[in-house]
Amino acid sequence: MTSQINRNTENLTEEKLTLLFHEYQTGSVEAFNSLYDHYVNMLFNFGCKLTGDKELLKDCIQDVFIKMYHNRSNLENVLNFKSYLFVSLKNKLCDELRKTNYLSDQPIEDYHPVSERDIESEYIEEEKTVFRHRKISSLLDELSARQREAITLYYLEEKKYEDICVMMDISYQSLRNLIYRGLSKLRNVVVPV
C-alpha cells in the first residue's frame, strides 16, 4: 500500500500523523517507517533525560518499535500514539534498568537520577500547551477572516495598532472596532466554567 503522505516527517500535522497511524495499523511498512522517522529523535531526547546509557536507550527504542510493529492489530484503542510511545519507552527503560540494577553489585542508594527535572510534569505542561493552542485555534475559527487576522496580529504576534493598520490597509478606528467586535464574539462563544 502506498502511503498518502510523503516521508518528509518534519512538518507532519496531527491529522497526517493520525492518517499514518491508521495506515500503519493496516500493514503499511512505509507508514511505519514514517512514524519511526518522525518520533525516533523525540524518543531519544526524552530517553536521554531518563538514562545516560545511550546504547541501552537506542536498544530500548528499537525494542519499542519492534513490539509496536508486531502488535499493530492490538493498538486500535490507542487514542494518543505519541503518549503511547513515550510511556512504552519509559516502561522499557525501567524494566531494563531494573534488570541491570538487580544484577549489579552497586547498592541502589548509590544511584542518582540523570536529570533533576521532572520529565512527567514537563510532558503534561506540553500537552496542556497543545490543548490550549487547539482551543484558541477553534475559537479563532468562529471569527470572520478580518477579525481573526486583526486579533492574531495584535494579541498573538504582538504587533502595534499602527503597524496592523498599515498591514491590513485599515484606519485606526476601524481596527479598534474590528478587534472589539471579535473579542465580543469570542466572549459570547466561550462558556464560563
Side-chain angles (χ1 to χ4, degrees), residues 11 16-18 20 24-25 34 47 65 72 85 92 94 109 112 134 158 160-161 167 177:
N11 297 320
K16 290 179 182 177
L17 287 169
T18 301
L20 274 176
Y24 141 76
Q25 286 182 301
S34 294
F65 277 101
R72 66 181 168 269
L85 285 175
K92 181 67 177 169
C94 288
E109 294 82 23
H112 300 285
R134 286 183 184 155
E158 299 179 353
K160 295 182 180 178
Y161 270 97
M167 293 169 72
N177 292 342

Side-chain angles (χ1 to χ4, degrees), residues 2-16:
T2 303
S3 176
Q4 298 175 10
I5 300 172
N6 65 26
R7 293 287 307 272
N8 180 6
T9 59
E10 292 176 9
N11 297 320
L12 291 178
T13 63
E14 288 299 319
E15 294 87 25
K16 290 179 182 177

Side-chain angles (χ1 to χ4, degrees), residues 107-170:
I108 193 74
E109 294 82 23
D110 293 347
Y111 286 96
H112 300 285
V114 174
S115 174
E116 296 295 321
R117 298 173 17 204
D118 183 5
I119 305 302
E120 214 167 306
S121 295
E122 289 178 17
Y123 182 70
I124 290 170
E125 283 304 313
E126 181 182 323
E127 286 292 313
K128 285 180 181 177
T129 301
V130 168
F131 175 78
R132 280 192 291 266
H133 285 280
R134 286 183 184 155
K135 184 69 175 169
I136 290 170
S137 179
S138 70
L139 287 173
L140 288 175
D141 287 342
E142 298 289 325
L143 301 175
S144 71
R146 296 286 281 175
Q147 288 172 337
R148 183 173 41 252
E149 181 182 8
I151 288 175
T152 300
L153 288 171
Y154 185 71
Y155 288 103
L156 300 179
E157 295 182 19
E158 299 179 353
K159 303 275 187 206
K160 295 182 180 178
Y161 270 97
E162 294 78 17
D163 297 334
I164 299 171
C165 289
V166 171
M167 293 169 72
M168 293 182 67
D169 192 28
I170 191 172

Side-chain angles (χ1 to χ4, degrees), residues 79-115:
L79 300 177
N80 188 331
F81 183 65
K82 182 178 177 181
S83 293
Y84 170 80
L85 285 175
F86 278 79
V87 170
S88 295
L89 178 61
K90 180 180 175 185
N91 290 341
K92 181 67 177 169
L93 275 170
C94 288
D95 290 345
E96 293 301 318
L97 290 172
R98 267 191 225 105
K99 288 180 195 174
T100 305
N101 291 341
Y102 183 72
L103 300 173
S104 174
D105 293 333
Q106 187 175 5
I108 193 74
E109 294 82 23
D110 293 347
Y111 286 96
H112 300 285
V114 174
S115 174

